[in-house]
Amino acid sequence: MQRKRYHHNRKRNPMAIAPRPRAGRKTAPAHGKAIAAGAGVLALAAALGLFLWRPWVDELAPVGASAPGGEMITLAPATPGPGESRAQAGDATAGVWAPELDFQYLNQPCLYGDELLFSAGDGSIDKPVLSGLYLYSLKDGACQEVARTEIENGEIYETQLNAQYICYVDSDMAKNNVIYCIDRASGERTKIKECPNGKPKLRLAGDSLIWMEQTDENVDKLYLIDLKSQENIALATFEDAATYGVSAPCITDSAILWAAPDPDQSAQQRETGEKSVIQIFQYLSESQVDEEGNLIFDSYAPGTYVHEPVACGDAIAWIDANKAPESKLYLSVGQGKAHLVDENVTAYAIGEGYLCYSRDEAIWAYRWADGQYFRLSPEGQKAMLPAMAGKTVLWFDVTNLQEQKDQYCLQRLDCEGGMAAYRAELAAQATPEPEATPETEPAPESTPQEDS
């Protein structure tokens, strides 16, 4: 692990930017309107939990990469190995639950605790349909609308949820892209920023919201804002590095992670195979800002190209291509070896002790404590696009696309009986009683008037 210092001028407001359209730049893959249209969507659930960063100098690198000492070493695959003995892998398909949602089209959701936030709608797929934002309770099945698009031909994307906030992007997939935040306690909605150059990628944890945004023709920036104070900074700038501008960042309860070019790799070396670093900023630590106001980032160089890193606890996962069909999925935990978990993976999510992903039209879970694989989606079901929070996993059932109705499926890991048992546990939990209001003094009793 290397620690490097990056200058940041605290006095400058990074929001004060007048971006202009980027000519000839391939924008990030847009979220599809619905699975029925076959559009690829990946929005990571916010990976919450304490991020305990440790030195990475003993990490194994991929085949053909040089170890810190210069010797060539080989990446150790996870047991039983990608593509091996899948028929004998653990089965956790019992207890899968599909909520009944009265919408024709569903977007990629965000999971938090026992709540689900998603955009949805009905209508013709050749027109914008994801016009409403909805909050669904896994506990009692209650579903409420919390917002609607306010843009002509607009839809709602990048849904983010925690105990304090609801964040989302209202977008027409062109020049109108607005980031909003709703304070759940007060119901007050705040416009965070307008992004005229494309839909930004949001991630939320605690009071902190981050997003990756194209700000100029050849510039992408990663922003951080404190939703309480509204103080904001630009954490990273990517110039002429569009591949990293389309890579979503990650935020946990204590750290922000993103992929960046390896500064130690020469232009000639990049032609034979680009390598990346994962930047880690401990945004709640005062030690990450020096006396001159410079931000201090930690860098982890896994020896591969990195796209969209995700983290939970001391585990980090990523793929080695920009969602190309042949992408390889990697996982690194603590100071142990970095593992090649599987191949041909483009959609994945991380939670407590598990890395979930879609492959061969099925949803798999890899438990890194013992290297075991588990199939989550039932045989015969075509599944894709997992999302995860804690030990709750969600995916899309795309078995019958001709039905023109999207369907979520959910599973609870490490819970006997799966999602059905977990929902029963939630329903059995006592509903907190409303706080008692101070008693008011009784009104004085009226006295009868004397007859005149």
Side-chain angles (χ1 to χ4, degrees):
M1 179 179 67
Q2 298 176 340
R3 171 163 289 192
K4 300 187 177 182
R5 294 188 176 184
Y6 296 79
H7 180 71
H8 165 63
N9 185 345
R10 291 170 134 184
K11 296 181 180 180
R12 183 189 174 197
N13 180 357
M15 297 301 185
I17 298 172
R20 57 183 183 273
R22 176 176 303 187
R25 184 256 177 109
K26 293 183 179 180
T27 58
H31 281 186
K33 295 176 182 176
I35 300 304
V41 184
L42 177 62
L44 304 179
L48 302 180
L50 183 62
F51 185 88
L52 304 177
W53 183 248
R54 302 174 182 174
W56 297 91
V57 294
D58 296 327
E59 288 298 329
L60 291 186
V63 175
S66 296
E71 68 276 15
M72 302 302 289
I73 52 181
T74 303
L75 181 71
T79 303
E84 299 176 9
S85 304
R86 292 199 171 276
Q88 301 175 14
D91 191 308
T93 61
V96 173
W97 173 66
E100 295 183 5
L101 297 171
D102 192 23
F103 301 104
Q104 187 176 3
Y105 299 114
L106 303 170
N107 200 17
Q108 185 76 354
C110 178
L111 282 165
Y112 181 81
D114 60 357
E115 294 180 303
L116 177 64
L117 182 70
F118 61 95
S119 59
D122 304 283
S124 174
I125 193 62
D126 59 353
K127 296 181 180 180
V129 293
L130 303 173
S131 56
L133 179 64
Y134 300 91
L135 187 63
Y136 181 84
S137 170
L138 301 180
K139 181 177 181 178
D140 57 17
C143 185
Q144 60 175 312
E145 181 180 287
V146 295
R148 294 197 68 81
T149 179
E150 298 178 2
I151 296 175
E152 184 179 359
N153 294 322
E155 295 181 294
I156 294 177
Y157 298 93
E158 296 294 323
T159 54
Q160 296 291 306
L161 171 72
N162 64 17
Q164 296 83 31
Y165 304 101
I166 291 174
C167 298
Y168 63 95
V169 175
D170 194 356
S171 171
D172 63 0
M173 305 303 292
K175 294 183 178 181
N176 297 301
N177 306 275
V178 185
I179 302 174
Y180 286 106
C181 176
I182 299 174
D183 186 308
R184 299 187 65 179
S186 66
E188 181 182 356
R189 190 183 71 164
T190 302
K191 180 188 288 187
I192 302 298
K193 193 185 179 191
E194 297 182 4
C195 308
N197 292 322
K199 178 168 61 65
K201 295 172 178 285
L202 308 186
R203 298 295 182 265
L204 172 70
D207 295 320
S208 299
L209 176 70
I210 61 172
W211 68 92
M212 187 75 76
E213 177 192 348
Q214 179 185 335
T215 60
D216 208 336
E217 183 176 348
N218 295 301
V219 179
D220 295 274
K221 290 191 177 184
L222 173 61
Y223 291 110
L224 164 66
I225 186 170
D226 185 308
L227 295 172
K228 273 191 173 181
S229 66
Q230 294 295 302
E231 180 182 356
N232 53 73
I233 59 173
L235 290 177
T237 299
F238 305 96
E239 297 184 6
D240 298 314
T243 54
Y244 293 101
V246 300
S247 176
C250 169
I251 185 169
T252 73
D253 280 349
S254 62
I256 298 171
L257 301 86
W258 64 93
D262 187 340
D264 297 327
Q265 192 177 29
S266 67
Q268 184 177 4
Q269 289 173 326
R270 288 192 178 92
E271 291 179 359
T272 59
E274 185 174 2
K275 301 295 188 294
S276 309
V277 293
I278 298 176
Q279 304 283 30
I280 303 98
F281 177 55
Q282 305 284 353
Y283 64 99
L284 298 182
S285 173
E286 293 182 359
S287 64
Q288 294 299 106
V289 181
D290 64 19
E291 61 279 0
E292 297 178 354
N294 298 325
L295 303 182
I296 304 173
F297 303 151
D298 296 326
S299 296
Y300 165 44
T304 71
Y305 179 80
V306 174
H307 184 72
E308 296 198 344
V310 295
C312 185
D314 60 351
I316 305 176
W318 66 93
I319 52 176
D320 66 351
N322 290 11
K323 293 192 172 69
E326 67 276 9
S327 300
K328 295 181 176 64
L329 177 63
Y330 292 91
L331 176 74
S332 183
V333 182
Q335 298 185 47
K337 298 177 181 179
H339 290 288
L340 172 61
V341 175
D342 213 332
E343 301 174 338
N344 304 319
V345 174
T346 59
Y348 51 99
I350 197 168
E352 295 178 9
Y354 290 88
L355 178 61
C356 294
Y357 60 96
S358 53
R359 183 184 188 274
D360 297 333
E361 299 183 321
I363 303 298
W364 300 89
Y366 172 70
R367 187 169 63 198
W368 59 76
D370 55 9
Q372 294 298 307
Y373 291 87
F374 302 87
R375 184 189 176 109
L376 302 185
S377 56
E379 291 284 352
Q381 181 188 88
K382 295 181 180 180
M384 62 186 294
L385 298 175
M388 190 173 186
K391 292 190 176 180
T392 301
V393 187
L394 177 148
W395 65 87
F396 282 92
D397 178 357
V398 293
T399 308
N400 300 308
L401 290 180
Q402 66 274 13
E403 293 183 359
Q404 293 283 313
K405 190 176 190 302
D406 295 337
Q407 180 67 66
Y408 293 144
C409 289
L410 291 106
Q411 177 62 295
R412 181 74 176 180
L413 301 175
D414 293 343
C415 179
E416 187 175 354
M419 199 66 202
Y422 176 61
R423 291 189 70 236
E425 292 178 7
L426 292 175
Q429 295 174 1
T431 302
E433 297 182 359
E435 295 183 4
T437 56
E439 294 185 0
T440 57
E441 294 183 6
E445 295 183 1
S446 59
T447 56
Q449 296 181 353
E450 295 183 356
D451 294 336
S452 55

